[in-house]
């Protein structure tokens, strides 16, 4: 199954590369921060066709299709983001990827994330480790002071600006430095690869984190929501991820920052 998923995701990435030099048809979904292009739609339809041919009995949960509640009842569900980092893609930044997870009864069993512009392929099967290309990943357990902090700001969730900044303000003096790349799937993979030590975002959709969360966990990264609970594959959720030492410190900072904000 993993070999077939990798092939399908790489083919989807090849479609994304055909956009070089092409005029993008950009549509606002809910506003200027929430965008879709013809490539999001084209790649998603390719993935739907190829994945359902691979496993016809599976459900299909994808960004440009939204939540399909009947798929909850199916044993296997594909969770798909045709382009994670669409705004980056539109603006010419190359931090974007195709993300595909395959979940069984609410638990992610396979995850593949492919960044076609950098040709980085991340993949994992539950219990069998995470890989970048053919190299097995093991995230180094740095403390918070020696870790880069990656974060997402959820720019179209305006009500989350204040709590996001409260966490940022608490963490920034404690970390080595910060980065914001604009693709949660890749952020989680960067933790798996040891490029950063901690990541948070106050609200994401399952297609943003499903594949990346498995890849990160298989590399030794803790992945939960901000409350420390399991991620919900059927709803929007927050994400907090980090190598064990960095995660513990970041969780404590996050708890204090949100508790103090609730008093104001």
């Amino acid at each position: 199954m993993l070999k077939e998923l990798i092939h399908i995701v790489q083919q989807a990435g090849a479609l994304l590369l055909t956009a070089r030099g092409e005029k993008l048809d950009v549509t606002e979904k809910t506003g200027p921060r929430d965008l879709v292009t013809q490539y999001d739609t084209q790649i998603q339809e390719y993935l739907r066709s190829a994945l359902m041919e691979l496993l016809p009995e599976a459900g299909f949960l994808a960004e440009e299709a939204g939540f399909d509640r009947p798929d909850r009842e199916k044993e296997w569900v594909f969770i798909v983001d045709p382009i994670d980092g669409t705004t980056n893609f539109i603006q010419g930044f190359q931090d974007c990827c195709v993300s595909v997870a395959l979940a069984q009864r609410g638990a992610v069993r396979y995850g593949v994330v492919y960044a076609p512009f950098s040709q980085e392929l991340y993949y994992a099967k539950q219990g069998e480790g995470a890989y970048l290309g053919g190299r097995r990943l093991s995230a180094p357990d740095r403390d918070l002071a020696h870790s880069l902090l990656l974060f997402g700001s959820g720019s179209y969730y305006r009500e989350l600006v204040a709590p996001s900044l409260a966490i940022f303000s608490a963490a920034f003096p404690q970390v080595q430095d910060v980065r914001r790349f604009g693709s949660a799937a890749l952020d989680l993979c960067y933790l798996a690869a040891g490029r950063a030590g901690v990541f948070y975002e106050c609200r994401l959709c399952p297609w943003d984190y499903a594949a990346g969360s498995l890849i990160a966990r298989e590399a030794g990264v803790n992945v939960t929501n901000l409350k420390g609970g399991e991620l919900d594959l059927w709803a929007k959720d927050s994400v907090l991820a980090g190598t064990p030492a960095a995660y513990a410190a970041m969780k404590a900072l996050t708890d204090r920052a949100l508790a103090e904000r609730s008093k104001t």
Side-chain angles (χ1 to χ4, degrees):
M1 177 65 73
L2 182 57
K3 182 179 178 181
E4 289 83 356
L5 286 175
I6 288 171
H7 175 72
I8 290 169
V9 173
Q10 286 182 311
Q11 291 299 111
L15 290 174
L16 186 56
L17 290 177
T18 65
R20 286 173 169 163
E22 295 293 323
K23 179 176 175 59
L24 297 180
D25 181 13
V26 180
T27 302
E28 295 183 4
K29 292 189 286 185
T30 61
R33 295 181 173 89
D34 188 12
L35 307 173
V36 63
T37 73
Q38 72 270 36
Y39 287 93
D40 296 83
T41 305
Q42 178 185 351
I43 292 169
Q44 180 163 299
E45 287 310 305
Y46 162 74
L47 288 169
R48 182 193 296 273
S49 176
L51 293 170
M52 298 313 293
E53 183 177 349
L54 178 65
L55 194 64
E57 67 270 26
F60 189 83
L61 177 64
E63 178 170 16
E64 306 312 328
F67 293 97
D68 187 1
R69 293 297 176 183
D71 282 347
R72 280 178 181 264
E73 308 303 320
K74 297 187 178 181
E75 179 179 4
W76 295 92
V77 179
F78 290 107
I79 304 173
V80 172
D81 196 337
I83 306 177
D84 188 43
T86 296
T87 301
N88 283 350
F89 171 60
I90 292 168
Q91 298 291 356
F93 287 98
Q94 296 187 350
D95 284 285
C96 56
C97 64
V98 181
S99 176
V100 173
L102 179 57
Q104 182 185 31
R105 299 190 187 95
V108 180
R109 306 300 187 195
Y110 299 88
V112 182
V113 174
Y114 180 49
F117 292 104
S118 62
Q119 297 186 14
E120 288 195 328
L121 173 68
Y122 298 87
Y123 54 91
K125 179 181 178 182
Q126 187 182 48
E128 296 188 10
Y131 293 82
L132 170 54
R135 176 172 64 89
R136 185 159 185 165
L137 299 175
S138 180
D141 191 15
R142 303 187 185 98
D143 62 17
L144 201 59
H146 295 88
S147 295
L148 287 178
L149 165 65
L150 310 183
F151 74 103
S153 54
S155 58
Y156 35 83
Y157 302 126
R158 306 307 292 170
E159 72 276 15
L160 296 178
V161 170
S164 295
L165 292 178
I167 296 170
F168 180 88
S169 296
F172 182 51
Q174 307 299 323
V175 298
Q176 190 175 54
D177 207 342
V178 296
R179 301 287 186 271
R180 189 196 185 288
F181 294 119
S183 165
L186 284 177
D187 285 338
L188 289 165
C189 290
Y190 293 159
L191 264 65
R195 296 174 185 171
V198 68
F199 164 78
Y200 80 92
E201 187 156 354
C202 288
R203 185 178 296 160
L204 289 165
C205 291
W207 43 81
D208 299 313
Y209 54 72
S213 66
L214 177 65
I215 292 165
R217 284 171 173 154
E218 288 292 317
V221 176
N222 295 340
V223 186
T224 68
N225 59 31
L226 288 175
K227 295 180 179 179
E230 287 295 319
L231 299 180
D232 189 341
L233 294 182
W234 287 102
K236 296 176 182 180
D237 208 347
S238 58
V239 175
L240 177 63
T243 54
Y247 174 89
M250 187 67 187
K251 179 66 167 62
L253 285 172
T254 299
D255 290 346
R256 287 197 297 271
L258 295 180
E260 290 172 6
R261 184 181 176 277
S262 69
K263 296 175 183 177
T264 61

